[in-house]
Amino acid sequence: KQEVTQIPAALSVPEGENLVLNCSFTDSAIYNLQWFRQDPGKGLTSLLLIQSSQREQTSGRLNASLDKSSGRSTLYIAASQPGDSATYLCAVRPWDTGTASKLTFGTGTRLQVTL
Amino acid sequence: EPEVTQTPSHQVTQMGQEVILRCVPISNHLYFYWYRQILGQKVEFLVSFYNNEISEKSEIFDDQFSVERPDGSNFTLKIRSTKLEDSAMYFCASAGQENFGYTFGSGTRLTVV
């Protein structure tokens, strides 16, 4: 059974800092990994999608890497801003394409960026 | 950017009542899902739906739950007789075949009193 863990559970940084959020998963047979952002009481916004054949994806100040063999992904946020404050979730999709495979979510990292 | 739309955004219901949560997935997506998140907990899988039938369901998705795609656009989750522990945020999601990336709706907050 796939288990996804995120470290740290919470993080507070001053504005402008670069930061790294970590995600680890126990079963490396994944099809892809997605990073989401969740604001309090709101839905899930997809940030980055990394296919299992890829090593990283970038979008603006966000960069996500994937090391499938070691079961790890990192989300790098450059020059953090107060608007980045949210909970960040990673989720993995298993390797069984063609079926409606479910995502397994991590526990989330709650980020607060202070002025 | 295409969106998954969920209605209502918030529903309060009495224990034992039936509720129907509605979703309009992205039009060219083929895979549809319901997830839920109890306050302060992980996002949990409920059910997946493909080719007009359930592909997989979790142990949470018991006989009180059902899903339907009554027409070409809507995807619904019905809870027949709600319990207090059904109080949660319910998320609908859809995925296409091009990269199997998920798009989630903004959720329905269900409160059972």
Side-chain angles (χ1 to χ4, degrees):
Chain A
K1 182 187 169 190
Q2 179 75 271
E3 299 283 347
V4 181
T5 305
Q6 292 184 244
I7 294 172
L11 182 63
S12 181
V13 300
E15 182 179 14
E17 272 205 10
N18 302 324
L19 56 102
V20 174
L21 308 182
N22 297 290
C23 171
S24 61
F25 45 95
T26 54
D27 186 347
S28 62
I30 65 167
Y31 186 77
N32 60 36
L33 181 146
Q34 235 172 319
W35 282 93
F36 294 91
R37 169 186 172 137
Q38 185 176 31
D39 292 287
K42 302 294 184 184
L44 306 174
T45 301
S46 180
L47 298 173
L48 289 163
L49 170 68
I50 311 179
Q51 303 299 333
S52 63
S53 58
Q54 297 174 321
R55 297 285 292 182
E56 65 180 286
Q57 282 286 334
T58 298
S59 175
R61 294 183 293 108
L62 305 179
N63 175 278
S65 67
L66 175 64
D67 183 344
K68 198 177 69 158
S69 60
S70 67
R72 291 180 186 170
S73 176
T74 61
L75 179 67
Y76 176 82
I77 302 176
S80 57
Q81 302 169 358
D84 295 330
S85 298
T87 296
Y88 291 80
L89 301 170
C90 72
V92 297
R93 186 184 189 277
W95 184 267
D96 52 356
T97 58
T99 65
S101 298
K102 66 187 183 198
L103 291 180
T104 301
F105 278 84
T107 44
T109 294
R110 185 180 301 173
L111 172 66
Q112 183 173 13
V113 181
T114 57
L115 290 168
Chain B
E1 177 115 16
E3 287 184 345
V4 174
T5 305
Q6 287 188 245
T7 54
S9 57
H10 193 175
Q11 180 150 2
V12 181
T13 189
Q14 287 200 328
M15 193 168 51
Q17 294 296 303
E18 174 183 287
V19 295
I20 297 177
L21 310 183
R22 301 180 192 280
C23 170
V24 179
I26 292 175
S27 60
N28 62 348
H29 282 182
L30 300 178
Y31 306 98
F32 313 111
Y33 310 84
W34 285 99
Y35 287 76
R36 80 173 186 188
Q37 186 180 34
I38 294 171
L39 189 63
Q41 297 187 22
K42 273 191 184 188
V43 177
E44 303 174 286
F45 168 77
L46 290 178
V47 65
S48 58
F49 193 86
Y50 170 68
N51 203 24
N52 287 316
E53 60 183 22
I54 291 175
S55 296
E56 186 179 357
K57 56 186 180 180
S58 71
E59 57 274 12
I60 303 168
F61 194 89
D62 61 21
D63 292 345
Q64 293 301 312
F65 291 86
S66 62
V67 289
E68 252 192 343
R69 189 156 160 81
D71 51 42
S73 58
N74 291 286
F75 180 50
T76 61
L77 174 70
K78 182 195 290 187
I79 309 175
R80 285 191 188 83
S81 178
T82 49
K83 307 192 246 314
L84 294 176
E85 54 265 37
D86 293 328
S87 295
M89 182 77 99
Y90 287 79
F91 294 110
C92 173
S94 67
Q97 279 189 304
E98 63 284 355
N99 61 12
F100 295 99
Y102 275 57
T103 301
F104 280 80
S106 54
T108 293
R109 179 170 298 285
L110 176 66
T111 303
V112 182
V113 297

